[in-house]
Amino acid sequence: MTKKETKGRASYAGALLICRNLARLTVYEMVGDQILIPDNGDNQSSTLQSLILMPGVQLASDEMVRGIAKLGTTAIGVRCLRSRDDQRIADFAVLFAANGNAERFAAMRAWIDRDGGLYLIPEDTSEAGSACFKFDRGLHIAKQPWADEADRRRGLAEAMVLLLAEGTDQRPS
């Protein structure tokens, strides 16, 4: 096996770990490796939306955008990247469908609030109007959830630890 193949398999395994932990941190459960469905174990309303996960995929093609728009659902590309100092990073791309259209949001990072609410926020917040998303009975557009830069860094660090944790079986309390 080549070094590139080994790296690709490790990246895909990291993306699957992130997907499993994402399900544990939200009101979802994994079906196979690519779908999050509502976890009805705690008798929640059936208004929860299923989400399509695509581990190891960047969600870059226009065909994917058109397909998600037709389905009227949300797809999340989940990748496990490496930083310059060789730390694992959970990277998300969102194809968000609404009103028969879909938009692509790339380079999203997980952020967790002090109450355990999970968000996807843009890696680069310098662009005005950057969208944030909250996992809440689906993935919904949300206002900026952090109070200041220190709160933003805290939430990013905590979410990264939870998403990359090996063998965790519990949601945060």
Side-chain angles (χ1 to χ4, degrees):
M1 186 178 310
T2 68
K3 186 175 181 180
K4 185 176 181 178
E5 289 172 327
T6 303
K7 186 177 177 183
R9 286 185 184 189
S11 177
Y12 185 75
L16 286 177
L17 173 66
I18 293 165
C19 290
R20 287 185 202 106
N21 285 337
L22 181 62
R24 289 184 186 110
L25 293 169
T26 61
V27 294
Y28 289 95
E29 61 182 316
M30 290 287 294
V31 175
D33 290 339
Q34 294 186 311
I35 298 178
L36 286 179
I37 63 167
D39 178 2
N40 291 327
D42 42 358
N43 292 327
Q44 298 211 1
S45 167
S46 62
T47 60
L48 286 168
Q49 300 172 345
S50 295
L51 301 172
I52 299 171
L53 294 180
M54 303 181 99
V57 176
Q58 189 175 5
L59 298 179
S61 76
D62 291 335
E63 290 80 17
M64 285 183 178
V65 173
R66 284 192 294 276
I68 291 301
K70 284 182 181 180
L71 289 172
T73 190
T74 298
I76 304 170
V78 181
R79 297 187 306 157
C80 187
L81 304 178
R82 292 280 179 178
S83 67
R84 289 187 177 135
D85 59 350
D86 207 35
Q87 298 295 312
R88 294 186 304 171
I89 299 171
D91 176 72
F92 300 90
V94 176
L95 292 183
F96 186 78
N99 303 322
N101 295 311
E103 284 187 72
R104 181 179 26 239
F105 301 87
M108 303 294 284
R109 299 292 183 256
W111 185 88
I112 196 161
D113 66 21
R114 295 187 188 278
D115 296 325
L118 190 64
Y119 294 77
L120 293 179
I121 67 170
E123 176 184 42
D124 180 8
T125 58
S126 64
E127 292 183 32
S130 297
C132 297
F133 296 93
K134 182 176 185 185
F135 286 94
D136 181 28
R137 303 176 105 43
L139 191 66
H140 301 283
I141 293 177
K143 293 181 182 179
Q144 174 182 309
W146 62 92
D148 54 32
E149 187 57 29
D151 188 38
R152 182 178 176 278
R153 285 192 305 270
R154 177 215 46 84
L156 288 168
E158 288 179 15
M160 198 68 63
V161 167
L162 292 170
L163 287 172
L164 294 170
E166 302 278 348
T168 57
D169 269 340
Q170 298 185 21
R171 296 177 184 175
S173 49

